[in-house]
Amino acid sequence: MGSGVGGLSAAICLSKTGQKVLVLEKHDVPGGWCHSFYLNGYRFTPGVHYVGLLGEGESTNELYKGLGIANDLVFYRMNPNGFEHCWIGDERFDYPANINDFATSLSHRFPKEEKQIKKYLTLVKNVTTELQLIPKLKGFWQHLTVPYRTRHMGKYALFSLKRVMNWHIKNPLLQKILYIQYGDHGLPPSKAPFPLHCAVMGHYFSGSYYPMGGGGAIVKAMTNSIKKHGSEVQTQQGVKSILLENNHKKKAIGVELENGEQLFADRIISNADPGITFLNLVGKENISAKLLKRLTKTKYSCTSLMLFLTVDMDVKKAGLDSGNIWLLPNKDMDDLHDDMQKINILEGDEFSGLFISCTTLKDPASFDGRYHTIEAITYINHKAFDKFKNEKENERSSEYLAFKDKIIDKIINSLEKVVPGISENVLHKELGTPLTNQFYVNTTNGSVYGTEKSFKQIGPFAYKPETEIENLYLCGSSVLSHGVAGASYSGVETAAKILGCKQEDLLKPDESQKIRIYEAEDDSNYPDWMLKKIEVKKARLKSK
């Protein structure tokens, strides 16, 4: 149930072993947060903005090879000199795509902190390495040595990012630069577990990449693999409820679709979050008091506003490149987070923070030579849209539409700082809201990362693939980890639980598989087929 990359990964792993799998998706295209859609012929992807660890031998590369989809994927490496651009008030800093270059660049900017910078980044690297090691441990003796093998993570596991940062780094601006990627998990420094932030930073220590074709290209490769192995993916098939055995409420036997059709299966996997799964599809009357109590206490991650723009201007000349931009005021990051969670989101002329991504520069093959696509995102409190939550998606009130227009104007006002003149060159604009997220991706409160990744909801305290209901399993960003790679790995973990094996058994190295990677900022090594694809796109625009 659900075709996010967690559900699709599980389906691939199970179908490869001979299981017959049916993936049901309520939306008209598969992919969940990773799906791509088109507005006036231009493509956008709401949930994929960059992917890390794609180098040979790195975990995301091994994931795609193991799933057997690497040959179908092409990625562009984003600006290696600055895949993240920090715009903090009037200050600027670029994240280079190498941890050593990163340390050097920071040390040049903050020479008095050089020793502490290197010490802090070494700690982050050690914790990241230990996090990736845990699933690979085998046998009694390796598990016996876990405390030593994960000593850095263990030492700081129960401390917040802010607390560990304060122990190592004193310069306020340097702290903010090192905090900047907190947007990738949505928790402010005082609430974010230190290992969580390490995992996010470490994911991009050797660079970041964007898929040619957007997130939809990953989804297409996954769905093709599922079909190749004899299983199915069906869209526009919303699930109304999970069917339980009449005389044994703790056993799932199938699902009932929104059209009334009933389908039966040996096992059910929910790619929806725990709240949607148990409260909506299973029904609270069919779960234990213990689970119900846990569900009522479960917190979900922040939600978002996403502005999708098509612009008619030379954005490179305006200063954009394939790197992401984090546009934030120079203020305490915890205070900034509190500002972003205010319910009155129309207060003030600009939003407290924006994440800005130009997808036509990340994916040069998508650029037609004239029009660029931009995605601008900010996190908000879902309660800002409570007054509209009972409206149907295709029957929105004039008040809701006027509310969206004011929000769009406010975001574009902020974008003017980064891309001067953009407001006069917008060809098309559309805003995704928390209600949009709920409708298209079916997440509690429109959350973007599943469950909130706080201390009591990650690691050993996260929801597990196996549930208290026999034959019902979970996967997705609320189970193992969030993000494109994390959610995908959750599906592998769930399949492994069902098959009684380890993740690595389902992701065996396949040397015939290889991801093709090219430079977003340098077309000198593009193959002929790619150059032809780009020329065809440009010619198509000229013929209009």
Side-chain angles (χ1 to χ4, degrees):
M1 300 180 298
S3 65
V5 289
L8 295 177
S9 292
I12 291 173
C13 292
L14 291 168
S15 59
K16 282 174 68 176
T17 62
Q19 302 281 330
K20 295 296 182 181
V21 186
L22 173 62
V23 180
L24 299 170
E25 171 57 49
K26 183 176 182 178
H27 193 16
D28 56 4
V29 294
W33 277 114
C34 286
H35 85 278
S36 293
F37 65 92
Y38 289 82
L39 296 171
N40 285 6
Y42 292 90
R43 185 183 62 245
F44 298 90
T45 302
V48 180
H49 299 102
Y50 53 160
V51 178
L53 297 176
L54 273 179
E56 285 297 322
E58 294 182 327
S59 64
T60 312
N61 186 297
E62 294 301 299
L63 169 69
Y64 291 146
K65 281 185 176 181
L67 291 175
I69 63 172
N71 287 345
D72 298 321
L73 298 174
V74 176
F75 282 85
Y76 290 102
R77 185 166 75 139
M78 292 158 56
N79 187 353
N81 298 317
F83 71 92
E84 304 273 43
H85 301 300
C86 306
W87 288 46
I88 302 175
D90 295 327
E91 304 290 344
R92 303 287 181 268
F93 183 81
D94 299 330
Y95 271 48
N98 177 289
I99 185 173
N100 294 325
D101 292 341
F102 185 39
T104 299
S105 186
L106 284 172
S107 297
H108 284 165
R109 181 70 179 271
F110 304 96
K112 293 181 180 179
E113 299 263 9
E114 181 176 2
K115 183 178 179 180
Q116 290 305 108
I117 287 169
K118 292 179 178 178
K119 184 177 179 181
Y120 178 78
L121 290 180
T122 298
L123 173 61
V124 172
K125 185 177 181 180
N126 287 338
V127 171
T128 303
T129 302
E130 290 168 4
L131 285 168
Q132 294 174 355
L133 173 68
I134 292 173
K136 300 178 182 179
L137 294 177
K138 299 179 185 178
F140 173 77
W141 290 110
Q142 286 196 358
H143 281 92
L144 189 66
T145 59
V146 164
Y148 174 75
R149 291 172 181 266
T150 61
R151 59 193 181 280
H152 299 96
M153 185 191 71
K155 183 177 179 180
Y156 295 98
L158 299 180
F159 296 109
S160 71
L161 168 62
K162 187 172 188 174
R163 192 166 182 182
V164 178
M165 183 72 76
N166 285 337
W167 286 336
H168 290 81
I169 304 294
K170 303 304 178 185
N171 185 288
L173 177 60
L174 175 56
Q175 287 187 342
K176 290 165 192 168
I177 290 171
L178 292 168
Y179 283 151
I180 200 95
Q181 290 173 318
Y182 91 77
D184 286 338
H185 52 69
L187 281 173
S190 64
K191 294 182 180 179
F194 178 65
L196 169 70
H197 197 75
C198 289
V200 168
M201 287 193 73
H203 190 68
Y204 302 109
F205 269 163
S206 56
S208 67
Y209 307 82
Y210 189 81
M212 186 182 83
I218 299 174
V219 174
K220 183 179 180 180
M222 288 180 148
T223 54
N224 285 344
S225 178
I226 291 167
K227 294 171 185 176
K228 182 178 74 175
H229 291 100
S231 292
E232 295 183 46
V233 178
Q234 295 182 6
T235 57
Q236 297 181 303
Q237 296 284 5
V239 174
K240 178 182 178 182
S241 63
I242 295 171
L243 300 174
L244 303 178
E245 196 170 63
N246 290 333
N247 61 356
H248 183 25
K249 286 187 175 181
K250 292 292 186 179
K251 185 176 182 180
I253 58 173
V255 298
E256 181 175 340
L257 303 182
E258 290 177 347
N259 63 13
E261 183 182 359
Q262 293 187 338
L263 303 172
F264 298 91
D266 293 334
R267 297 176 187 86
I268 316 297
I269 301 175
S270 177
N271 196 182
D273 65 46
I276 299 292
T277 301
F278 293 110
L279 300 179
N280 295 8
L281 300 179
V282 173
K284 61 182 180 181
E285 68 278 7
N286 295 317
I287 61 177
S288 67
K290 181 180 179 181
L291 177 56
L292 180 58
K293 182 178 180 181
R294 182 182 184 186
L295 288 165
T296 57
K297 290 184 176 182
T298 296
K299 294 181 179 179
Y300 287 86
S301 71
C302 55
T303 187
S304 65
L305 295 170
M306 297 190 185
L307 179 60
F308 305 103
L309 294 175
T310 305
V311 299
D312 183 7
M313 66 183 298
D314 188 343
V315 295
K316 268 195 169 183
K317 189 175 181 180
L320 296 187
D321 57 31
S322 60
N324 306 313
I325 294 176
W326 298 90
L327 177 65
L328 304 172
N330 193 350
K331 64 185 297 184
D332 181 87
M333 292 285 190
D334 284 282
D335 292 340
L336 173 62
H337 182 268
D338 290 343
D339 285 346
M340 296 171 80
Q341 295 304 302
K342 288 179 180 177
I343 296 176
N344 182 8
I345 58 176
L346 293 183
E347 181 182 324
D349 296 327
E350 299 178 14
F351 281 97
S352 298
L354 280 184
F355 174 89
I356 303 162
S357 166
C358 182
T359 48
T360 40
L361 294 182
K362 290 180 176 182
D363 178 6
S366 69
F367 181 46
D368 63 10
R370 179 172 179 178
Y371 300 110
H372 284 282
T373 53
I374 292 174
E375 297 165 357
I377 303 168
T378 190
Y379 295 134
I380 63 166
N381 190 323
H382 68 90
K383 293 179 181 178
F385 281 80
D386 274 0
K387 66 186 298 185
F388 305 111
K389 65 182 180 182
N390 292 323
E391 295 184 2
K392 293 183 179 179
E393 179 66 22
N394 56 353
E395 298 176 8
R396 294 297 186 191
S397 66
S398 57
E399 184 182 2
Y400 174 80
L401 298 176
F403 187 49
K404 282 180 61 174
D405 285 341
K406 291 177 181 177
I407 293 170
I408 291 172
D409 290 343
K410 186 174 176 179
I411 295 177
I412 292 178
N413 192 36
S414 297
L415 281 173
E416 280 285 345
K417 284 185 173 181
V418 178
V419 191
I422 191 171
S423 56
E424 298 174 0
N425 293 283
V426 174
L427 182 72
H428 184 86
K429 54 190 176 184
E430 186 57 69
L431 182 73
T433 73
L435 303 183
T436 313
N437 299 347
Q438 283 182 261
F439 180 79
Y440 286 106
V441 194
N442 195 23
T443 61
T444 298
N445 299 329
S447 62
V448 296
Y449 296 132
T451 52
E452 181 182 271
K453 301 303 182 276
S454 51
F455 283 103
K456 295 182 179 180
Q457 296 189 164
I458 62 171
F461 307 110
Y463 282 90
K464 302 295 187 291
E466 295 176 282
T467 75
E468 67 175 29
I469 297 176
E470 186 180 347
N471 296 340
L472 176 62
Y473 296 81
L474 299 176
C475 70
S477 57
S478 297
V479 177
L480 184 66
S481 183
H482 64 291
V484 181
S488 298
Y489 265 110
S490 81
V492 179
E493 178 69 12
T494 298
K497 288 292 182 184
I498 289 172
L499 297 169
C501 62
K502 299 285 187 182
Q503 271 192 27
E504 60 192 49
D505 297 323
L506 300 176
L507 298 175
K508 292 180 179 178
D510 184 349
E511 295 309 315
S512 69
Q513 291 281 328
K514 185 175 179 63
I515 295 174
R516 290 163 288 172
I517 297 176
Y518 302 94
E519 299 292 331
E521 300 290 331
D522 180 6
D523 62 4
S524 61
N525 290 320
Y526 288 1
D528 289 342
W529 65 264
M530 185 181 291
L531 293 173
K532 184 176 180 180
K533 182 183 179 74
I534 294 171
E535 288 304 314
V536 167
K537 199 165 189 69
K538 291 179 179 179
R540 193 175 295 155
L541 175 67
K542 291 178 182 178
S543 67
K544 288 184 180 180

